């Protein structure tokens, strides 16, 4: 039991369970199978983006541009589709656009060595402008019915986007745990100069992480476009970066890098998703939804930090 | 030294870029003189600033087309611009900037009816014609308000549509883009009153807001259906709400969790966006007006005012037709979009 | 202490670069945009930059100290609406202003308490506050704007003294005041010190917690001030005001040469950065450039102008 409590994510998990139980008490429908499915389904895009963000934050970076990349990718997919391309090809090209955005970020951050936050703040503006520019201000909508598979289709009885998210989560968990690439990320985020002395190519790892992140956002964008059915370039994903960052940090990540896991992030995403769904299911007044969400985020952080403090009292390390 | 050279290059780059960006928009603009000395009604083309709530939504893109058409028909200059988000302080900054440019008239769709008061006063002081369109700012110096109909009429129309569709009985929910946006509040309040008066058996269970975010609207609709299994209808008060609701209902029907036709949806939405949903019957009736014509009428009315002409009831606006003018309001009328006419709209 | 003070990073070189950029922008628009180069337009621009400018002051200090505050926009709206409600409740307008400022201070205190005292990550706490306060604004007022303030109050945001907007004068005075504090007082040295090496400051017997707490208090206070001035300028307190203002503020601070990882930066730089942004926007507006290109241009400018900062 004691060992369980010492798991890094333990407080977040407990808090998530607690919130779940409270919502279940307020409205029994909350724990119904189809509502659970709904929550999972609603958060697949956030979850996929959050995988990339976890790696970025592990490196001690921050990516403000994910929302704009999502908008740009989703808009391009819409354009490809409306030019009569097959859904698979359009989606693949869409992911490629995401990768290109990742390369753009990665080039400036890793190769030119400019701080992450500056590059992604800039590319947030640039990609958003491009997205609305190429969309011509109109919505991307009326997608062909085959395209709906990516957001609404079912494979082996599980919804396709959920399956994609699960595969990606497992894939990246393994990647971070068992490959040299993954351990490098932790090493760089934990102590950059030590990593450099150990002969780790920091630039290369950073670049790779941003490319992965771009790819993941690309995948999320395809699912987003297919699921929501219409894309408005100027607002799609506008609050995504803060939301995803909050999820990663609630999940135990540290903004200073080196600490955090994808599993924790997934819990963070689920917690945020549960709060949003639960508040509406509990028929909370619409005016209170945002206030309550923010309050619960802060509460999650408080609980999370208490755990850190407890652990760090032993280590005596610096947190800030 | 290197830094300075770097900056020079930087500046050049950024500015040449901005020059490229502007080339398309400001071509043929009277560029004589770098100072603001010329009078506003000097000879040459008249310039009007058309300011929607934000740039990006399909609705405003359609309006821009109408405004540009009016510009070429009337041989005037129209600058169509707004911030990327519906933010009233940024909108007002932009109006102030355009007043500096000595435009002859401004057509504004205010994000906040009260906040545009001071800047309208300033504009009126400079003899700039002021018309609000799509959203009104009463109690300011605006001269006319161009709208499809009053917010009350639109709200009542929506309420009546849903009331008839669900047979006057059951739970319905409202979906809005912003809990704070006045024109949506006015419409939904009117709808609530109308329902209470004419369909006492209809209960409005809640109002959810999407903050203009498609994914949030989508999730909102999903949660609504989940929370109120006996929900009978949804009214969307902004362009993105009813398509999101329709998409959710369609997916639920496909997944078998909802019977087809159990939830009636109506709302304000651009026909091109909801075309598919109307064709397959998820949305039966949708209320809209042509935003292009709205913008066209606004530019036309501004031009009339700038030329010192009067605006009369029943006045014939080219490509729009006769408009109803009453008490400083210009109404162009609403349209009902149904399966039969959905293909006939060009926006 | 004196060693810390001596390290104050005023680099004339960097300033020169920024001023040059500003000059270039002004020159370019003077030639390209009719009406740009006029007294009224410049005063107009100054009038518009006040809210972002006021928030940029504490933001610069916070970034120098190595943290960040993303909740400023929501604090702005929260205090503006608190003020509006107090006024609607029959309070005297100036008392209502004080209510608004107190609301801002309270938000800053919550931020500061969690971040300084409990060493929580500034970014997460302030994201949480961003969401929560924006939500509370809607709770307080159901999203309906408050207006109808007395004319005396509009003085702050709309009145011009000798042709110069009052709020711009106020902003300039604030900048000078805080620059003085940052340069000449121990507090300023602590802020730079914390940004450079928190542990050293801590072991020098200086309360890092207190310094940090004060910084976030200031951030709350200035955001509230910005809210008051915004309401006075727009004559209306609305729930959406200040949305995304934090990005503008951070952009101005970064273009002004403040180092994102703390320890380096100056308020004078931020002021120039602010001017660069507002003049760029104003000029592009006057040219009728669509906002879509404007954001692309701003992004590229940010990338090139600040790209010299090394990670």
């Amino acid at each position: 039991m004691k060992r369980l409590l010492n798991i890094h994510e333990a407080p977040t998990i407990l808090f998530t369970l607690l919130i779940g139980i409270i919502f279940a008490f307020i409205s029994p429908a909350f724990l119904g199978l189809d509502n659970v499915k709904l929550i999972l389904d609603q958060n697949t895009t956030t979850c996929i983006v959050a995988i990339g963000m976890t790696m970025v934050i592990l490196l001690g970076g921050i990516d403000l541009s994910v929302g704009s990349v999502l908008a740009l990718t989703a808009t391009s997919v819409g354009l490809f589709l409306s030019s009569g391309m097959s859904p698979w090809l359009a989606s693949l090209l869409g992911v490629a656009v995401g990768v290109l955005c990742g390369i753009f970020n990665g080039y400036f951050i890793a190769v030119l060595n400019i701080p992450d936050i500056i590059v992604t703040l800039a590319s947030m503006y640039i990609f958003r402008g491009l997205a609305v520019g190429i969309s011509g201000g109109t919505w991307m909508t009326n997608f062909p019915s085959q395209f709906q598979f990516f957001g609404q289709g079912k494979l082996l009885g599980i919804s396709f986007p959920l399956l994609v998210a699960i595969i990606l989560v497992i894939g990246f968990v393994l990647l971070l745990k068992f490959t040299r690439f993954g351990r490098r990320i932790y090493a760089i985020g934990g102590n950059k100069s030590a990593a450099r002395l150990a002969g780790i190519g920091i630039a290369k790892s950073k670049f790779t992480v941003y490319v992965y992140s771009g790819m993941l956002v690309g995948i999320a964008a395809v699912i987003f476009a297919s699921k929501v059915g219409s894309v408005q370039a100027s607002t799609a994903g506008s609050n995504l970066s803060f939301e995803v960052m909050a999820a990663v940090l609630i999940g135990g990540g540290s903004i200073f890098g080196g600490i955090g896991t994808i599993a924790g992030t997934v819990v963070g995403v689920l917690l945020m998703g549960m709060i949003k769904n639960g508040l509406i299911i509990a028929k909370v007044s619409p005016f209170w939804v945002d206030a309550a969400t923010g309050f619960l985020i802060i509460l999650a952080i408080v609980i999370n930090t208490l755990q850190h403090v407890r652990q760090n009292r032993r280590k005596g390390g610096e947190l800030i | 030294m290197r830094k300075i050279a770097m900056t020079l290059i930087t500046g050049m780059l950024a500015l040449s870029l901005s020059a490229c960006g502007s080339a398309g928009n400001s071509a043929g603009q009277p560029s004589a003189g770098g100072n603001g000395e010329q009078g506003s009604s000097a000879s040459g083309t008249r310039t009007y600033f058309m300011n929607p709530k934000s740039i990006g939504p399909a609705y405003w893109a359609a309006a821009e087309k109408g405004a540009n058409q009016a510009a070429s028909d009337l041989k005037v200059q129209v600058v169509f611009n707004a911030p990327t988000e519906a933010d009233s302080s940024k909108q007002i900054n932009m109006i102030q900037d355009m007043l500096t440019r000595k435009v002859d008239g401004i057509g504004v769709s205010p994000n906040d009816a009260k906040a545009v008061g001071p800047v309208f006063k300033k504009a009126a002081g400079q003899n700039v014609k002021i018309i609000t369109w799509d959203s009104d700012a009463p109690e300011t110096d605006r001269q006319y308000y161009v709208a499809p109909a009053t917010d009350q009429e639109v709200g009542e129309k929506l309420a009546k549509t849903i009331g008839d569709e669900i047979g006057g009985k059951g739970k319905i929910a409202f979906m809005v883009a912003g809990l704070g946006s006045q024109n949506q509040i006015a419409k939904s309040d009117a709808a609530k009153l109308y329902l209470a008066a004419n369909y006492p058996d209809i209960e409005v269970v809640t109002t959810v807001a999407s903050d203009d975010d498609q994914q949030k609207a989508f999730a909102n609709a999903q949660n609504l259906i989940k929370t109120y299994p006996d929900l009978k209808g949804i009214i969307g008060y902004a362009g993105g709400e009813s398509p999101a609701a329709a998409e959710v209902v369609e997916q639920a029907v496909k997944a078998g969790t909802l019977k087809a036709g159990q939830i009636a949806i109506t709302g304000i939405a651009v026909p091109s966006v909801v075309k598919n949903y109307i064709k397959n019957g998820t949305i039966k009736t949708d209320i809209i007006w042509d935003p292009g014509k709205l913008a066209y009428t606004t530019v036309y009315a501004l031009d009339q005012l700038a030329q010192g002409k009067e605006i009369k009831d029943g006045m014939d606006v080219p490509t729009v037709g006769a408009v109803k003018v009453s008490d400083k309001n210009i109404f162009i009328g609403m349209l009902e979009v149904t399966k039969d006419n959905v293909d006939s709209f060009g926006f | 202490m004196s060693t810390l003070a001596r390290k104050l990073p005023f680099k004339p070189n960097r300033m020169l670069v920024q001023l040059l950029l500003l000059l270039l922008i002004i020159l370019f628009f003077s030639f390209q945009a009719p009406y740009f180069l006029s007294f009224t337009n410049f005063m107009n621009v100054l009038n518009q930059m006040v809210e972002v400018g006021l928030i940029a002051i504490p933001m610069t200090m916070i970034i120098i100290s190595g943290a960040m505050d993303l909740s400023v926009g929501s604090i702005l709206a929260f205090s503006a609406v608190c003020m509006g409600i107090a006024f609607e409740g029959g309070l005297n307008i100036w008392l209502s202003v004080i209510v608004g400022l107190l609301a801002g201070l309270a938000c800053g205190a919550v931020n500061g308490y969690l971040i300084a005292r409990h060493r929580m990550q500034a970014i997460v706490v302030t994201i949480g506050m961003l969401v929560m306060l924006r939500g509370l604004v809607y709770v307080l007022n159901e999203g309906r704007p408050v207006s109808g303030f007395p004319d005396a109050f509009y003085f702050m945001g709309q009145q011009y003294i000798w042709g110069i907007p009052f709020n711009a004068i106020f902003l300039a005075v604030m900048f000078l005041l805080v620059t003085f504090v940052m340069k000449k007082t121990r507090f300023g040295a602590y802020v730079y010190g914390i940004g450079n090496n928190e542990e050293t400051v801590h072991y020098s017997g200086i309360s890092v917690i207190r310094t940090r707490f004060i910084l976030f208090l200031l951030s709350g206070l200035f955001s509230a001030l910005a809210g008051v001035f915004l309401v006075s300028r727009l004559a209306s307190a609305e729930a959406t005001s200040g949305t995304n203002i934090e990005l503008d503020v951070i952009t101005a601070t970064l273009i002004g040469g403040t180092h994102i990882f703390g320890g380096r930066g100056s308020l004078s730089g931020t002021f120039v950065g602010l001017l660069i942004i507002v003049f760029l926007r104003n000029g592009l507006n006057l040219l009728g450039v669509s906002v879509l290109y404007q954001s692309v241009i701003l992004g590229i400018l940010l990338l090139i102008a600040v790209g010299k900062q090394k990670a």
Side-chain angles (χ1 to χ4, degrees):
Chain A
M1 190 60 201
K2 209 167 179 189
R3 251 174 78 195
L4 263 178
L5 277 177
N6 272 336
I7 297 177
H8 187 72
E9 288 83 16
T12 318
I13 294 174
L14 283 179
F15 185 65
T16 312
L17 289 177
L18 186 72
I19 294 280
I21 292 169
I22 292 174
F23 277 134
F25 262 110
I26 298 174
S27 60
F30 182 77
L31 275 187
L33 184 64
D34 39 341
N35 193 49
V36 172
K37 263 194 205 157
L38 184 66
I39 295 178
L40 290 176
D41 208 42
Q42 280 173 350
N43 293 291
T44 44
T45 46
T46 321
C47 179
I48 293 172
V49 176
I51 299 173
M53 186 68 91
T54 311
M55 295 193 292
V56 169
I57 287 183
L58 275 176
L59 279 177
I62 202 169
D63 188 348
L64 297 172
S65 69
V66 285
S68 300
V69 176
L70 183 106
L72 183 58
T73 316
T75 311
S76 334
V77 172
L79 281 179
F80 294 143
L81 284 173
S82 60
S83 72
M85 230 176 248
S86 88
W88 279 97
L89 187 60
S91 308
L92 274 179
L93 281 178
V95 176
V97 171
V99 170
L100 278 180
C101 295
I103 290 176
F104 179 93
N105 279 338
Y107 175 77
F108 281 97
I109 293 167
V111 181
L112 297 187
N113 207 19
I114 303 173
D116 310 59
I117 189 163
I118 293 175
V119 173
T120 54
L121 185 64
S123 62
M124 178 189 83
Y125 289 124
I126 296 173
F127 294 151
R128 179 70 64 184
L130 284 180
V132 186
I134 60 171
S135 76
T138 50
W139 287 23
M140 298 294 129
T141 182
N142 299 332
F143 299 130
S145 56
Q146 299 101 300
F147 180 66
Q148 292 175 349
F149 174 75
F150 295 106
Q152 306 160 27
K154 276 196 158 65
L155 214 65
L156 313 169
I158 309 174
S159 87
F160 178 75
L162 187 60
L163 203 64
V164 172
I166 292 173
I167 290 172
L168 285 172
V169 166
I170 294 175
F172 276 91
V173 164
L174 295 178
L175 191 74
L176 282 191
K177 262 223 156 94
F178 296 111
T179 66
R180 236 186 273 170
F181 167 73
R183 278 187 292 248
R184 274 183 193 147
I185 292 180
Y186 279 99
I188 295 170
N191 190 332
K192 205 184 232 174
S193 24
R196 189 176 287 125
L197 289 176
I200 293 174
I202 293 177
K204 200 178 144 204
S205 303
K206 265 197 174 175
F207 186 79
T208 320
V209 162
Y210 276 94
V211 173
Y212 273 134
S213 174
M215 179 190 81
L216 290 165
V217 180
I219 295 172
V222 171
I223 293 175
F224 170 90
S226 163
K227 197 165 66 172
V228 180
S230 55
V231 181
Q232 182 181 347
S234 61
T235 55
S238 51
N239 295 321
L240 189 67
S241 58
F242 283 176
E243 202 171 295
V244 170
M245 262 158 54
V248 173
L249 300 175
I250 288 174
S254 160
I255 200 75
F256 305 101
I259 303 172
T261 58
I262 289 181
T265 300
V266 172
V267 178
V269 171
L270 280 180
L271 175 62
M272 303 260 289
M274 265 172 50
I275 292 173
K276 270 189 260 168
N277 169 281
L279 286 173
I280 292 189
I281 297 243
K283 302 185 186 172
V284 170
S285 142
F287 297 109
W288 275 99
V289 170
D290 275 354
T293 310
F295 178 71
L296 289 173
I297 292 177
I298 294 178
L299 204 61
I301 299 294
V302 170
I303 291 170
N304 211 338
T305 314
L306 291 181
Q307 164 85 351
H308 286 229
V309 171
R310 218 161 54 95
Q311 284 178 343
N312 278 278
R313 204 175 292 144
R314 284 194 300 269
K315 290 185 209 149
E318 275 296 320
L319 243 170
I320 292 186
Chain B
M1 199 54 226
R2 228 184 102 231
K3 270 190 176 170
I4 298 179
M6 184 75 182
T7 323
L8 280 171
I9 298 169
T10 309
M12 284 324 210
L13 245 168
L15 295 175
S16 58
L17 220 155
S18 71
C20 299
S22 71
N25 295 284
S26 60
Q29 194 172 282
S31 57
N35 51 17
E37 298 302 316
Q38 295 122 312
S40 59
S41 54
S43 61
T45 46
R46 293 180 292 276
T47 307
Y48 304 110
F49 176 48
M50 287 293 282
N51 183 223
K53 284 195 166 126
S54 65
I55 287 279
Y59 182 81
W60 300 119
E64 184 172 6
K65 281 189 197 129
N68 288 336
Q69 205 205 328
S72 63
D73 287 358
L74 304 169
K75 303 205 170 40
V76 296
Q77 275 276 325
V78 167
V79 178
F80 192 96
N81 208 1
T84 36
E85 62 238 75
D87 178 283
S88 110
S89 106
K90 284 184 187 140
Q91 180 180 37
I92 284 156
N93 288 353
M94 199 174 255
I95 300 173
Q96 282 176 340
D97 287 350
M98 294 311 286
L99 286 181
T100 313
R101 206 179 131 171
K102 309 262 173 198
V103 289
D104 300 271
I106 51 176
V108 180
S109 175
N111 282 309
D112 178 338
K114 291 286 171 2
V116 287
V119 72
F120 279 7
K121 187 169 275 163
K122 192 177 158 199
Q126 294 182 10
N127 195 25
V128 170
K129 309 296 172 220
I130 310 154
I131 290 183
T132 51
W133 56 293
D134 191 75
S135 269
D136 196 11
E139 301 160 42
T140 61
D141 288 297
R142 65 124 172 102
Q143 286 155 293
Y144 280 94
Y145 168 47
V146 179
T150 60
D151 282 335
Q152 193 188 349
E153 280 173 312
V154 178
E156 286 177 357
K157 177 109 183 159
L158 288 169
K160 184 171 174 352
T161 309
I162 205 90
D164 290 346
E165 261 183 59
I166 65 175
K169 204 174 163 190
K171 290 181 179 168
I172 65 168
F174 289 176
M175 291 176 70
V176 297
L179 287 173
S181 70
Q182 277 309 305
N183 62 343
Q184 293 171 37
I185 293 176
K187 288 186 185 101
S188 61
D189 283 354
K192 262 182 208 156
L193 282 177
Y194 184 86
L195 286 171
N198 297 292
Y199 298 98
D201 291 335
I202 292 184
E203 181 197 354
V204 181
V205 286
T206 187
T207 303
V208 288
S210 70
D211 301 325
D212 252 326
D213 179 343
Q214 272 303 95
Q215 194 170 18
K216 197 165 171 196
F218 184 80
N220 279 342
Q222 281 183 323
N223 293 338
L224 277 181
I225 292 178
K226 185 82 215 102
T227 317
Y228 306 99
D230 49 350
L231 194 70
K232 296 289 279 287
I234 293 175
I235 301 182
Y237 288 92
E241 308 301 319
S242 39
E247 183 68 35
V248 167
V249 167
E250 222 162 72
Q251 288 179 22
V253 168
K254 213 181 286 171
T257 51
L258 205 67
K259 282 201 299 285
Q262 186 190 324
I263 295 186
I265 300 167
T266 190
I268 300 161
V270 178
S272 63
V273 173
V274 288
K275 196 187 279 176
N276 284 356
Y277 308 120
I278 289 195
K279 279 190 178 162
N280 62 25
T282 309
I283 300 179
K284 287 214 175 57
T285 318
D286 166 61
I287 307 296
I288 192 63
W289 44 89
D290 189 337
K293 286 187 178 159
L294 206 59
Y296 194 107
T297 312
T298 310
V299 175
Y300 183 83
L302 278 172
D303 202 40
Q304 294 289 315
L305 287 174
Q307 291 176 345
K309 291 182 191 158
E310 231 180 296
I311 294 191
K312 293 186 290 281
D313 188 24
M315 177 177 77
D316 199 50
V317 179
T319 76
V320 176
V323 293
K324 195 171 153 241
V325 180
S326 76
D327 192 29
K328 300 285 174 196
N329 293 312
I330 304 174
F331 297 121
I332 65 163
M334 284 180 279
L335 301 168
E336 251 180 50
V337 185
T338 59
K339 204 184 255 181
D340 306 320
N341 65 1
V342 65
D343 281 322
S344 66
F345 300 101
F347 60 98
Chain C
M1 219 22 48
S2 56
T3 48
L4 274 176
R6 228 178 292 143
K7 267 201 229 150
L8 286 195
F10 181 72
K11 284 191 195 153
N13 203 3
R14 178 174 272 293
M15 268 311 271
L16 192 68
V17 173
Q18 280 149 9
L19 283 172
L20 220 81
L21 188 61
L22 177 63
L23 199 71
L24 245 157
I25 288 177
I26 293 184
L27 270 178
F28 174 82
F29 285 118
S30 305
F31 283 115
Q32 283 294 316
Y35 312 118
F36 177 77
L37 197 65
S38 68
F39 184 72
T40 44
N41 186 44
F42 274 39
M43 290 309 123
N44 203 357
V45 172
L46 293 183
N47 190 10
Q48 291 172 7
M49 68 183 252
V50 171
E51 293 88 28
V52 176
L54 278 175
I55 302 180
I57 295 174
M59 186 68 93
T60 307
M61 295 160 81
I62 288 184
I63 293 183
I64 289 175
S65 82
M68 197 173 279
D69 185 350
L70 298 175
S71 65
V72 285
S74 298
I75 298 183
L76 184 156
F78 183 70
S79 20
V81 170
C82 279
M83 183 184 90
I85 288 177
F87 177 71
E88 271 192 337
L91 227 54
N92 170 291
I93 180 65
W94 302 111
L95 284 177
S96 312
V97 168
I98 290 172
V99 169
L101 294 182
L102 285 178
L105 269 178
C107 299
V110 174
N111 273 337
Y113 176 74
L114 293 175
I115 294 165
R117 182 74 189 78
H118 291 290
R119 321 191 125 222
M120 292 180 193
Q121 301 181 16
I123 291 194
V124 217
V125 172
T126 52
I127 289 181
M129 286 294 274
L130 172 121
V131 180
M132 182 170 87
L133 290 175
R134 182 69 65 189
L136 276 180
V137 168
Y138 283 102
V139 172
L140 282 176
N141 216 22
E142 308 208 322
R144 286 163 208 258
V146 185
S147 54
F149 299 98
D151 281 344
F153 172 64
Y154 296 145
F155 173 82
M156 298 175 77
Q158 297 178 22
Q159 199 61 50
Y160 286 61
I161 299 176
W162 306 302
I164 302 171
F166 171 76
N167 57 359
I169 298 175
F170 182 80
L171 176 69
V173 170
M174 276 304 174
F175 255 102
L176 289 176
L177 200 74
V178 182
T179 306
F180 175 80
V181 170
M182 286 299 277
K183 285 220 158 122
K184 299 287 179 201
T185 66
R186 276 189 301 179
F187 180 76
Y190 296 164
V191 173
Y192 280 105
I194 292 175
N196 274 318
N197 192 334
E198 192 184 326
E199 261 169 80
T200 318
V201 175
H202 178 67
Y203 289 125
S204 314
I206 296 155
S207 170
V208 175
I209 294 176
R210 217 183 63 185
T211 312
R212 242 175 234 270
F213 186 75
I214 293 175
L215 282 178
F216 279 95
L217 266 188
L218 279 178
S219 182
L221 180 66
F222 274 83
S223 305
L225 261 179
V228 171
F229 273 99
L230 186 77
V231 173
S232 168
R233 185 160 72 88
L234 302 188
S236 165
E238 16 167 7
T240 53
S241 44
T243 315
N244 289 342
I245 203 173
E246 64 276 0
L247 294 174
D248 275 357
V249 173
I250 293 174
T251 309
T253 312
L254 291 180
I255 288 190
T258 296
H259 204 283
I260 193 69
F261 297 119
R264 274 167 286 165
S266 69
L267 281 166
S268 43
T270 299
F271 193 72
V272 178
L274 199 62
L275 288 176
I276 290 178
I277 294 191
V278 289
F279 275 116
L280 187 72
R281 233 180 231 148
N282 168 263
L284 292 173
N285 277 346
L286 284 179
L287 280 178
V289 177
S290 162
V291 282
L292 312 174
Y293 298 106
Q294 290 191 19
S295 71
V296 174
I297 292 165
L298 186 65
I300 293 175
L301 185 80
L302 180 65
L303 207 52
I304 313 180
V306 199
K308 293 181 293 277
Q309 280 187 17
K310 293 299 173 212

